Amino acid sequence: MRRAFLLQGIGTVGLHAIGWPLQTAWAAGLLGVRVWPSQAYTRVTLELEQRLVVQHQLLDQPLRLVIDLQDLQVDAALRQLPSIIPPDDPWIAQLRVGQFQPKVARLVFDLRQAVRVEIFESLPVGPYQRRWMIDLYPDREPDPLQALLNRRFAARSDEPGLEQLIEDLAKRDVQGKAAKTATSPDQKTAPSAKAVAPASGNPPSESGPAVVSPPPASTASRIIAIDAGHGGEDPGAIGPSGLKEKDVVLDVSRKLAERLAGDQGLRPALIREADYFVPLGQRVRKARALRADLMLSVHADAFTEARARGASAFVLSDGAASSASARYLAQKENAADELGGVDLRRRDQDATRVLLELSTRTQIRESSDLANLLLGELGRIGRLHKAKVERAGFAVLRAPDVPSVLVETAFISNPEEEQRLADAGYRDQLADALHKGIRQYLVANATTGAKPR
Ligand SMILES: [Zn+2]
């Protein structure tokens, strides 16, 4: 089933046409238009019942993005779009909407700076109908994570993709078998977590720019990737009184980051810093690009049964999910990308292949150690849903080389637990508990130097 088109126009000039075969009913109407500005990118969403053929051109002098919507009549919803673009949007100076041809509505975005454009369609999911997403990214990433990455690997500015990972792991698999007996101190300090970090002596990858070796582990900060679940159009679970998971988990994540920032030798990195959606695959890529020492995804559970309660911790399962409920949860969390509008299926297959073929056992073992410590701490401040670490196929746990744990802090669907989650004091306690668990894990796994105080 085709679900989404993804098209990238990089640079300032380009002409692309994408869309469905021309079978569209004339004069499709828009159901709604939305704008999600964020630090990372601005997303304009057009929601409609019918298929739509969309063409776009990126032009310069002056910089503008022209989008033609075939078989669409400018209507009230579309006419309203310019007024909901924030005046201080970093990319869009102004938007003009008009009926370009009798059957073509045209959007002209006057741009403040060069952008990278991604336009894709998402099929109906959850409360949403068919949507076209128009994402404007900076031509150059002002992403704080990217900046941190750039500092760490001065000459390397690109994120290693999963494809690169597969290559690297495959190479390591061949080379590693011979080298296993002679483990260097560097490798010792970073057992599996640094599969892609080129250890000194490794040749730089042929394709990319010259790779600068990371600093020795004894002086490097440990990087803790904190992934607040959901965001933007994807609210996550919603409690009986309306509390949204995306807001709760962002706050807990920020509080945790504050605590980690106070620890010598530790460096928190928030995968999402505000109310916007980050595709699941991108979350994993960011954590990997940062060479994160671990990744913690923060969520708040929901279940049809209001009585369900307590915190849980998940690590990746290498086979089927350990229980039906775990499987159910994995499906639900993975559906976030459908809400956010990115087709990850192919990438998932690649990641799954990596999982099957290469070293996930170490990742899972380390993740389980971390998850156990987190559960121990969460059990001190509240109830546990299950005393044992659970296993599931969450997409965000799939970095094959970064120990990754997904924590469901409580059941937001349980009225009592929703109340606790709504309380800033309890969110502080949650952040404290996660902080303690992470520190215990790092102390237990520190072989040389760089121990957190
Ligand atoms: Zn969630």
Side-chain angles (χ1 to χ4, degrees):
M1 190 176 61
R2 289 200 298 175
R3 193 175 59 229
F5 285 101
L6 176 64
L7 183 117
Q8 294 198 356
I10 299 174
T12 51
V13 182
L15 170 63
H16 313 274
I18 46 177
W20 299 91
L22 276 158
Q23 301 166 341
T24 330
W26 159 235
L30 285 169
L31 298 171
V33 294
R34 292 184 287 282
V35 178
W36 278 99
S38 75
Q39 292 165 325
Y41 66 100
T42 290
R43 165 170 290 181
V44 177
T45 302
L46 310 175
E47 187 172 3
L48 67 170
E49 260 169 351
Q50 282 122 311
R51 290 176 174 182
L52 186 65
V53 175
V54 177
Q55 292 185 307
H56 84 272
Q57 305 174 62
L58 212 40
L59 305 168
D60 57 6
Q61 295 178 340
L63 280 172
R64 62 209 188 276
L65 168 66
V66 178
I67 297 181
D68 285 338
L69 311 167
Q70 304 282 344
D71 294 332
L72 191 74
Q73 194 110 51
V74 174
D75 60 5
L78 203 55
R79 225 171 275 123
Q80 176 217 346
L81 186 54
S83 67
I84 59 174
I85 306 246
D88 58 349
D89 186 278
W91 294 284
I92 305 168
Q94 82 168 315
L95 169 61
R96 291 171 283 145
V97 173
Q99 195 71 42
F100 171 60
Q101 284 169 8
K103 291 190 172 187
V104 181
R106 174 168 276 190
L107 309 178
V108 179
F109 295 83
D110 295 312
L111 301 173
R112 294 185 202 276
Q113 52 173 298
V115 295
R116 200 156 54 82
V117 182
E118 289 186 4
I119 300 181
F120 54 94
E121 189 190 33
S122 242
L123 292 187
V125 61
Y128 299 110
Q129 293 296 314
R130 205 175 273 277
R131 289 161 300 152
W132 275 92
M133 320 286 198
I134 302 161
D135 289 350
L136 303 179
Y137 289 89
D139 202 20
R140 287 203 197 132
E141 296 266 335
D143 189 333
L145 292 188
Q146 190 64 45
L148 175 56
L149 176 65
N150 291 349
R151 281 201 297 279
R152 250 196 147 187
F153 304 95
R156 180 163 190 151
S157 60
D158 59 328
E159 288 186 12
L162 274 176
E163 294 75 12
Q164 184 65 44
L165 168 76
I166 293 168
E167 262 176 49
D168 289 339
L169 283 179
K171 270 189 220 148
R172 192 183 59 137
D173 204 37
V174 175
Q175 295 165 354
K177 273 174 188 143
K180 227 162 218 166
T181 45
T183 313
S184 75
D186 266 4
Q187 284 167 311
K188 230 178 219 162
T189 55
S192 74
K194 297 298 171 280
V196 199
S200 41
N202 273 10
S205 72
E206 303 88 311
S207 51
V211 176
V212 172
S213 296
S218 55
T219 58
S221 305
R222 303 281 199 107
I223 294 188
I224 318 299
I226 307 168
D227 170 41
H230 311 280
E233 276 207 350
D234 171 18
I238 299 177
S241 80
L243 189 65
K244 289 180 183 144
E245 177 184 1
K246 67 172 184 177
D247 298 327
V248 170
V249 299
L250 180 61
D251 190 61
V252 171
S253 298
R254 282 178 174 154
K255 289 177 187 296
L256 173 59
E258 276 168 27
R259 284 156 177 77
L260 289 165
D263 286 334
Q264 203 175 26
L266 296 190
R267 204 150 188 183
L270 286 164
I271 299 289
R272 104 172 148 88
E273 294 181 289
D275 186 18
Y276 52 84
F277 183 78
V278 180
L280 300 179
Q282 205 174 314
R283 296 174 196 237
V284 173
R285 284 208 304 283
K286 279 190 168 179
R288 293 197 49 255
L290 286 160
R291 270 62 172 174
D293 291 272
L294 59 93
M295 163 126 139
L296 179 63
S297 286
V298 185
H299 285 258
D301 227 333
F303 197 61
T304 45
E305 189 73 59
R307 278 174 306 176
R309 61 180 176 180
S312 9
F314 288 84
V315 301
L316 191 64
S317 77
D318 43 7
S322 62
S323 67
S325 70
R327 200 152 50 231
Y328 162 76
L329 255 172
Q331 279 162 5
K332 190 158 57 71
E333 301 296 6
N334 289 348
D337 261 347
E338 296 177 29
L339 291 173
V342 170
D343 191 344
L344 276 179
R345 193 164 307 152
R346 206 189 70 77
R347 197 171 289 140
D348 268 357
Q349 282 170 6
D350 287 347
T352 305
R353 201 174 66 234
V354 169
L355 288 179
L356 292 175
E357 292 172 4
L358 300 162
S359 58
T360 44
R361 287 217 177 91
T362 312
Q363 193 263 43
I364 293 173
R365 197 182 57 238
E366 290 172 348
S367 303
S368 302
D369 290 347
L370 171 60
N372 270 314
L373 293 165
L374 293 170
L375 275 184
E377 290 302 324
L378 289 167
R380 288 175 202 273
I381 61 158
R383 191 176 279 272
L384 295 181
H385 184 59
K386 289 237 175 80
K388 263 178 61 184
V389 173
E390 297 183 74
R391 292 183 160 214
F394 292 124
V396 287
L397 298 177
R398 290 182 185 182
D401 51 352
V402 182
S404 304
V405 175
L406 186 147
V407 164
E408 300 276 4
T409 48
F411 275 82
I412 200 169
S413 52
N414 176 312
E416 199 183 306
E417 294 204 337
E418 183 196 25
Q419 262 187 14
R420 298 187 84 184
L421 290 172
D423 172 29
Y426 186 65
R427 296 196 299 270
D428 276 321
Q429 286 184 42
L430 282 171
D432 284 334
L434 298 173
H435 180 216
K436 283 183 196 151
I438 288 171
R439 284 176 49 130
Q440 288 164 24
Y441 170 81
L442 291 174
V443 168
N445 285 272
T447 48
T448 59
K451 284 184 189 175
R453 275 181 297 136

